[in-house]
Amino acid sequence: MNIALFLQMAAEACPDRRALSHHGKHYTYAQLFGAAKRAAFHFSTANCKFVSMLDTSSPAAPIALMGAAIAGVPYVPLNYRLSEEQLVPLFERISPAYLISGTRDEAYDFDDWIVQDSADFLHDVLTGEEMDVTWNEDPAAVAVQLFTSGTTGIPKAALLRHEHLVSYILGSVEFMGGLEDEAALVSVPPYHIAGISAVMSNIYACRQIVQLPDFSAREWLRLVAEESVTSAFVVPTMLTRIIEEIDTAKLDPKTFSTLNSIAYGGGKMPVPVIERALKLFPGINFTNAYGLTETSSTIALLDPDDHRAAIDHDDAAVHARLGSVGKPLPSVEIEVRNEDGKQLDPFESGEIYVRGPQVSGEYDGRSVLDNDGWFPTRDAGYLDDHGYLFLSGRADDVIVRGGENISPGEIEDLLHQHPAILDTAAIGIPSEEWGEVVALAIVVAAAHSITEEEIRSHIREHLRSSRVPEVIHFTSELPYNETGKLLRRVVREWFRIEDD
Amino acid sequence: MLKPGTRLKSAVCDAEFMIIKAGASDELTCGGVSLDESTDPVEGNADRMNGCVIGKRYINAEETIEVLCVKTGEGSLYCNDEELMTKDTKKLPSSD
């Protein structure tokens, strides 16, 4: 069992079909597979324990992923935005490695390492003789190692074995399900699980991947038109910016008539944004995908029919599903449990547990699955009475005020609906009286104004009084990482500084 | 023994397979000929040449065996003399 099998099958079934497009250059499946085999040869003769990639998206990423898979060497894409201080400790954990790097290679002149410029690597593997290499067949070999973003501490190395990733793809993608003229625009970075799964699922579907290395809404829209893109995956902040760009540039949505589906995930989508998107693009199928690195990407989906039903329906329960992440994939089980591990009833909030063949739940060789194979996601949420899953934030983000658990999502969801509020984050700050109290960061919408007292009375009117914030901080922007994850740690710092 | 991940070539046609799941004593045949890991090409059993298709997963009724066809061929897959059928997968919208 080996994820490179997906590429081999695509190259077997449609060798001349377009597999990849990057900066206007195109590559076929036969070319990619040939390159992956040559890369595998380089990797297996290099005596390195890891293959690492430190660069923006380019054809080097899928080739290195598949080449490392064939060679049976773990592939470790790294975040190219990290500082040298952040990178060095990660390098120590993957030594010796075959490092394919964008520009900063001089700094990484380690003993026993092979450091190669991405362009040189590509040149080496795209040309040359047909290589016959021995394949790794061990399903339990590590295919991909991803360092978590470390928003709560030292980055953890999540391990994904071939068996997990193969289960995910076989269970969710139909081989050659893509048509010849389909193209998927991939703008998530290559070190993110969504970037990895986009490569695997589109290759298995034999659907062309159009790479967008540095996301900007303008460039995204230009590529959709130029490459006749039919589908795309975006994180919520990207969708917000795309809509803004369409509005400011007064673009006619008809310009993007080839686009028929957009999947989104990687962070919580504010309901007003998806409502706006559904109105702007009535012909597009929207899918909300919920997944984690440790679960080989998607575990639950809110499908296009669910979106349409939610937007058309007057029934509050059905309409609310627009804020849901949908139902588990057929091979995945989801449970919500309380702190004592007891399974909860519908609408009761707790921690989300997941089980299935695609779930790895393993860090640095240490499994966090329980005895029955369940993975504690550390995400908090609940299921409704029809099995739709709702997220309310990270379990660690829950605000405990005088023994009462408050989900930041409850307050944020309410405020996101307010026309004067563009963005908001609710966090817990220490309180002598209550243990913790609510603090709010608010970004006021352009051409609007709102006072602290108006915010407090709005919350008091709709939610329990314990949700009313003790402190409110107005800001021009909230801190997000590049995949749209709110950096609550940074927001907490603001209130700590205000304290002093 | 058939282990998950094992790749097998048919002796009667171009077909190739990968084992996803199998029992220790299961015996797989393609076109009536055992899927040994290395067999010289032979003539297949004409009654068992209904074909297999790349990308399809083949299972028995109990789903104790599951095989992915990774290269199309003319032979059909049998396990312990029971013809395998294709596994229907729920069509899901693309999520990445």
Side-chain angles (χ1 to χ4, degrees):
Chain A
M1 219 175 270
N2 188 312
I3 56 168
L5 181 64
F6 304 143
L7 179 56
Q8 185 182 28
M9 289 168 71
E12 165 72 29
C14 42
D16 302 322
R17 197 187 266 202
R18 207 182 256 189
L20 191 66
S21 149
H22 176 257
H23 282 322
K25 275 195 192 154
H26 300 104
Y27 306 82
T28 65
Y29 286 104
Q31 279 177 311
L32 274 198
F33 185 46
K37 285 191 286 184
R38 281 181 215 107
F41 175 77
H42 290 305
F43 299 153
S44 27
T45 48
N47 259 333
C48 288
K49 285 189 184 151
F50 298 87
V51 170
S52 185
M53 170 70 64
L54 182 69
D55 201 359
T56 55
S57 284
S58 82
I63 293 169
L65 168 70
M66 293 300 180
I70 294 173
V73 182
Y75 174 70
V76 192
L78 294 169
N79 183 347
Y80 48 85
R81 289 172 203 264
L82 295 181
S83 66
E84 204 170 318
E85 294 76 58
Q86 291 169 306
L87 277 172
V88 168
L90 302 185
F91 285 147
E92 285 166 3
R93 291 161 71 180
I94 56 165
S95 190
Y98 190 119
L99 175 68
I100 301 158
S101 151
T103 49
R104 303 187 290 178
D105 46 336
E106 314 79 21
Y108 315 127
D109 196 12
F110 310 115
D111 290 344
D112 312 330
W113 282 50
I114 292 179
V115 182
Q116 196 175 20
D117 184 80
S118 306
D120 294 340
F121 168 75
L122 261 185
H123 177 81
D124 280 1
V125 297
L126 280 168
T127 51
E129 284 176 35
E130 185 77 7
M131 282 284 177
D132 207 10
V133 285
T134 315
W135 283 56
N136 157 63
E137 278 190 1
D138 180 8
V142 175
V144 176
Q145 174 176 323
L146 294 177
F147 286 107
T148 58
S149 49
T151 44
T152 51
I154 297 167
K156 287 184 282 190
L159 306 185
L160 297 171
R161 300 177 184 277
H162 285 275
E163 54 197 348
H164 302 124
L165 297 169
V166 169
S167 297
Y168 169 61
I169 295 298
L170 293 184
S172 64
V173 184
E174 190 190 346
F175 178 67
M176 238 178 139
L179 302 172
E180 178 113 44
D181 60 357
E182 288 186 354
L185 182 49
V186 178
S187 48
V188 279
Y191 55 81
H192 191 275
I193 182 61
I196 302 279
S197 57
V199 166
M200 294 188 304
S201 54
N202 287 305
I203 286 179
Y204 198 58
C206 300
R207 185 184 297 114
Q208 185 194 176
I209 295 167
V210 177
Q211 291 180 318
L212 170 54
D214 282 301
F215 175 83
S216 79
R218 183 170 300 177
E219 191 58 15
W220 191 91
L221 288 161
R222 192 189 68 77
L223 272 176
V224 167
E226 184 177 290
E227 297 283 349
S228 304
V229 166
T230 52
S231 64
F233 177 88
V234 291
V235 300
T237 43
M238 291 177 183
L239 190 59
T240 307
R241 295 208 183 123
I242 290 162
I243 292 171
E244 279 169 6
E245 176 69 19
I246 291 172
D247 285 345
T248 29
K250 298 198 167 48
L251 297 172
D252 182 352
K254 289 198 188 76
T255 324
F256 327 112
S257 57
T258 54
L259 197 57
N260 60 41
S261 65
I262 293 180
Y264 60 92
K268 199 171 164 67
M269 174 69 81
V271 170
V273 174
I274 188 63
E275 277 177 342
R276 175 91 176 82
L278 284 163
K279 283 183 187 130
L280 197 59
F281 301 110
I284 289 182
N285 293 313
F286 281 91
T287 301
N288 186 358
Y290 165 58
L292 297 96
T293 304
E294 298 89 334
T295 60
S296 308
S297 194
T298 309
I299 51 174
L301 286 178
L302 187 77
D303 71 24
D305 290 340
D306 290 328
H307 278 83
R308 287 196 194 96
I311 197 115
D312 292 341
H313 226 283
D314 293 334
D315 181 348
V318 178
H319 188 76
R321 284 182 198 145
L322 218 44
S324 144
V325 295
K327 292 183 171 182
L329 298 188
S331 57
V332 166
E333 296 169 89
I334 286 179
E335 264 183 28
V336 178
R337 301 183 186 173
N338 70 7
E339 282 156 14
D340 305 325
K342 183 182 157 282
Q343 194 182 344
L344 295 171
D345 290 330
F347 298 107
E348 288 185 331
S349 268
E351 185 177 350
I352 297 163
Y353 279 68
V354 56
R355 179 164 74 173
Q358 70 184 66
V359 177
S360 113
E362 192 183 348
Y363 305 103
D364 294 312
R366 182 178 51 87
S367 173
V368 295
L369 302 185
D370 71 11
N371 290 335
D372 300 315
W374 290 92
F375 172 63
T377 61
R378 303 303 294 145
D379 277 337
Y382 63 89
L383 290 157
D384 75 5
D385 47 357
H386 286 79
Y388 286 86
L389 180 66
F390 289 76
L391 303 183
S392 48
R394 294 293 285 172
D396 309 304
D397 295 333
V398 167
I399 303 160
V400 187
R401 183 185 185 276
E404 186 184 1
N405 286 353
I406 302 172
S407 144
E410 182 189 353
I411 305 165
E412 291 163 4
D413 288 349
L414 171 75
L415 296 181
H416 273 137
Q417 310 274 357
H418 195 292
I421 295 170
L422 184 67
D423 204 359
T424 180
I427 57 147
I429 55 168
S431 152
E432 279 186 21
E433 189 181 359
W434 299 100
E436 266 187 329
V437 288
V438 176
L440 269 188
I442 297 276
V443 183
V444 179
H448 283 82
S449 67
I450 188 165
T451 65
E452 290 197 17
E453 206 31 62
E454 283 165 345
I455 294 170
R456 288 200 174 92
S457 62
H458 181 68
I459 294 172
R460 200 174 291 118
E461 197 181 310
H462 291 89
L463 305 173
R464 296 168 67 174
S465 62
S466 53
R467 275 67 175 164
V468 175
E470 205 82 357
V471 192
I472 297 178
H473 172 86
F474 289 94
T475 178
S476 58
E477 206 176 10
L478 289 178
Y480 287 94
N481 73 7
E482 60 279 8
T483 52
K485 205 184 262 180
L486 176 66
L487 298 171
R488 288 180 194 273
R489 177 173 44 86
V490 177
V491 178
R492 265 183 214 113
E493 284 300 314
W494 295 349
F495 290 96
R496 214 161 284 158
I497 293 159
E498 284 190 359
D499 252 15
D500 296 340
Chain B
M1 203 180 95
L2 302 172
K3 278 189 305 188
T6 305
R7 298 277 297 265
L8 303 164
K9 273 186 162 73
S10 169
V12 305
C13 62
D14 289 338
E16 290 183 26
F17 307 96
M18 187 196 69
I19 306 296
I20 297 173
K21 185 165 81 174
S25 59
D26 284 336
E27 212 224 348
L28 268 182
T29 59
C30 177
V33 178
S34 174
L35 278 169
D36 207 287
E37 279 180 61
S38 57
T39 314
D40 292 326
V42 290
E43 193 78 15
N45 175 346
D47 294 338
R48 294 188 174 188
M49 296 296 280
N50 300 319
C52 51
V53 178
I54 187 169
K56 295 286 179 203
R57 287 185 285 172
Y58 292 86
I59 52 171
N60 59 2
E62 298 78 34
E63 293 202 32
T64 54
I65 187 158
E66 185 172 339
V67 180
L68 175 70
C69 176
V70 301
K71 202 169 171 183
T72 299
E74 294 83 42
S76 34
L77 268 181
Y78 279 69
C79 177
N80 310 330
D81 266 345
E82 175 193 354
E83 184 167 15
L84 298 186
M85 54 199 170
T86 55
K87 181 177 182 171
D88 289 325
T89 41
K90 195 185 168 200
K91 197 151 167 41
L92 296 169
S94 168
S95 65
D96 36 37

